[in-house]
Amino acid sequence: MSSLSQAKALISASPSPLPSTATQTTTQTVTQNRVLALEFGTLKPAWIEIISDVLMQFSPRLSHRTVQHTSHRTSHDGAARTNTWFFLDIGTNSAWITRRFGSENKLLETVFAKLTALDTDPCAEQSVERHLKVAIADTAPAAQALASLYSFWISSPGRTKDDLDRLPLQALSQLEGLQAWEQSVRMDSIANFFSLLGFHTLGDLRAFTPAAFHERWGVVGDLLYRRLQAHAVLDPQP
């Protein structure tokens, strides 16, 4: 089947097996969902707890997960490189954040200051990585993808989907959040599939229905479609 035929088949697939976005958004609460995502390099377990304590000063709703990169060895003893993602729900504390800091940008300045202060501890066994990646967005998967691609990004409330639309297809593997892809290489394969069809950005995928994603990739396609919508009601939050 030609690339054009494959694209037409996906676009003209049967009606969505998922409720429409319009239907689902009616159930959202008034509170704006906002998530702060931070990526650190390799951290010792004790430092994960220390950083968690710092971040929970801004919100009690915090999740983290560590990713092991077995294909990249960083020491002669065979230890694998890792990175740890922290996801902090700041939407439920938005009123307090506005009163205390005035803006999300000022909030980040305070977070960075507290993390930097950890380096002044003479008893510290590890320094906090100075070049961490960070983003604020409406969902955890979007915040991770934006942080991975831009290193620093604040997506305006309600505009996260527009920001995702500008990302390249390679960002699909970073559209994870609290739940990592079981096989990130599969996301690379999906990105390559769309690239062969002539698509280049996540926004180009708006042409495809949720049914098209489901018919080709099953439950993985369902999850991918939901994450592309950048609606918190469709994806777990911290």
Side-chain angles (χ1 to χ4, degrees):
M1 181 182 293
S2 67
S3 295
L4 180 59
S5 297
Q6 287 179 308
K8 288 182 176 179
L10 280 172
I11 295 173
S12 62
S14 58
S16 167
L18 303 173
S20 68
T21 298
T23 300
Q24 296 208 30
T25 53
T26 60
T27 64
Q28 292 189 50
T29 61
V30 177
T31 302
Q32 174 68 49
N33 292 286
R34 302 290 283 165
V35 178
L36 165 60
L38 303 100
E39 182 196 29
F40 293 81
T42 302
L43 292 173
K44 296 179 179 179
W47 270 89
I48 292 178
E49 296 303 318
I50 291 172
I51 293 173
S52 295
D53 288 343
V54 170
L55 296 179
M56 289 181 70
Q57 296 176 33
F58 303 95
S59 173
R61 299 184 60 179
L62 174 71
S63 297
H64 66 79
R65 61 180 179 82
T66 297
V67 182
Q68 189 173 47
H69 304 279
T70 56
S71 60
H72 298 281
R73 304 295 180 179
T74 59
S75 64
H76 54 272
D77 61 359
R81 180 176 67 85
T82 65
N83 64 289
T84 299
W85 282 97
F86 292 84
F87 300 97
L88 187 71
D89 172 15
I90 59 175
T92 53
N93 276 6
S94 59
W96 174 77
I97 289 173
T98 300
R99 291 195 306 270
R100 180 69 176 80
F101 305 102
S103 68
E104 292 176 341
N105 200 2
K106 292 295 185 181
L107 166 68
L108 284 181
E109 289 180 8
T110 305
V111 171
F112 289 156
K114 286 186 174 292
L115 291 174
T116 300
L118 296 176
D119 283 341
T120 64
D121 183 356
C123 298
E125 297 180 358
Q126 178 174 352
S127 296
V128 175
E129 185 174 330
R130 296 182 182 276
H131 301 292
L132 58 84
K133 296 181 179 181
V134 59
I136 295 178
D138 292 344
T139 66
Q144 177 181 332
L146 291 166
S148 296
L149 270 293
Y150 296 135
S151 294
F152 181 92
W153 190 266
I154 298 179
S155 179
S156 299
R159 297 298 303 274
T160 293
K161 190 174 190 306
D162 294 332
D163 290 337
L164 282 183
D165 283 350
R166 291 189 286 271
L167 297 184
L169 292 175
Q170 290 72 21
L172 288 178
S173 63
Q174 291 297 325
L175 203 60
E176 296 180 309
L178 277 62
Q179 179 184 357
W181 298 115
E182 291 186 3
Q183 294 181 319
S184 60
V185 66
R186 189 173 187 187
M187 291 301 107
D188 294 334
S189 176
I190 292 175
N192 184 59
F193 169 79
F194 283 118
S195 178
L196 291 175
L197 295 182
F199 299 101
H200 305 287
T201 67
L202 301 189
D204 292 339
L205 307 187
R206 286 193 180 195
F208 302 103
T209 66
F213 281 88
H214 178 81
E215 290 179 6
R216 186 167 188 90
W217 295 290
V219 294
V220 172
D222 294 339
L223 182 57
L224 176 56
Y225 180 84
R226 288 197 295 269
R227 291 180 176 179
L228 286 170
Q229 306 316 302
H231 283 293
V233 71
L234 302 178
D235 202 80
Q237 302 303 302

